[in-house]
Amino acid sequence: MSWKNEPKSGDRILWIKFTGFGDVLQTVSSIKNFKEMFPGVHVTLLTSEPYAELMLAQPPVDAVVTGRKSSMKDFYRLMSKLKKQPKFDWIISLQDKSKTDTIGLMLGVPNRIGSGYRVMYNANLWDWL
């Protein structure tokens, strides 16, 4: 897939990785590499509560939003939290789940990058990078 658009300094990115201690830790490395490629971007990590404090202590992570997506009630609470955040320019999701896929659409995020080939995304993360 050819992708012409790239994040620029000042863009706000919502990076999603909810679960798996090792996976969440590896996400920090991915965010670090991403910020080296696109300096000046602001990355908010969306993750689950147990990882919030640890992720906030990581230099490449600018902000953390926590939530759960298991039930519809939890998902609506999460969406309410996200709608209170400044508008995101990009969403990068490492979750291949239908509820997570819809976050970018529901928030009106114009640039949606996912780790799978799904209709809710403009590009696949691995092809795009």
Side-chain angles (χ1 to χ4, degrees):
M1 169 180 255
S2 175
W3 185 263
K4 305 279 188 232
N5 201 9
E6 290 187 350
K8 58 188 176 307
S9 183
D11 278 359
R12 299 182 57 77
I13 288 89
L14 177 63
W15 198 291
I16 302 174
K17 184 61 184 162
F18 277 100
T19 57
F21 182 70
D23 293 341
V24 173
L25 284 178
Q26 287 178 350
T27 298
V28 174
S29 177
S30 298
I31 293 170
K32 178 183 178 290
N33 292 338
F34 185 84
K35 289 179 93 172
E36 287 172 358
M37 290 174 63
F38 306 106
V41 298
H42 180 277
V43 175
T44 297
L45 178 62
L46 173 56
T47 194
S48 53
E49 183 65 39
Y51 310 120
E53 191 174 336
L54 175 63
M55 293 300 104
L56 274 173
Q58 305 307 311
V61 177
D62 298 303
V64 172
V65 174
T66 60
R68 295 174 40 191
K69 57 179 176 47
S70 52
S71 72
M72 285 308 290
K73 188 175 182 178
D74 289 336
F75 183 71
Y76 288 131
R77 280 190 196 121
L78 172 60
M79 289 306 301
S80 178
K81 271 188 189 181
L82 290 171
K83 287 180 179 180
K84 293 175 185 171
Q85 297 290 312
K87 185 161 175 52
F88 294 103
D89 304 293
W90 294 81
I91 187 168
I92 296 176
S93 178
L94 300 178
Q95 299 289 142
D96 288 327
K97 304 291 182 201
S98 57
K99 286 180 193 160
T100 309
D101 290 346
T102 61
I103 290 173
L105 292 174
M106 293 176 75
L107 293 176
V109 179
N111 303 291
R112 299 176 310 277
I113 312 297
S115 60
Y117 294 96
R118 300 166 85 100
V119 71
M120 280 77 157
Y121 300 118
N122 305 106
N124 176 286
L125 177 64
W126 312 119
D127 293 342
W128 181 70
L129 287 176

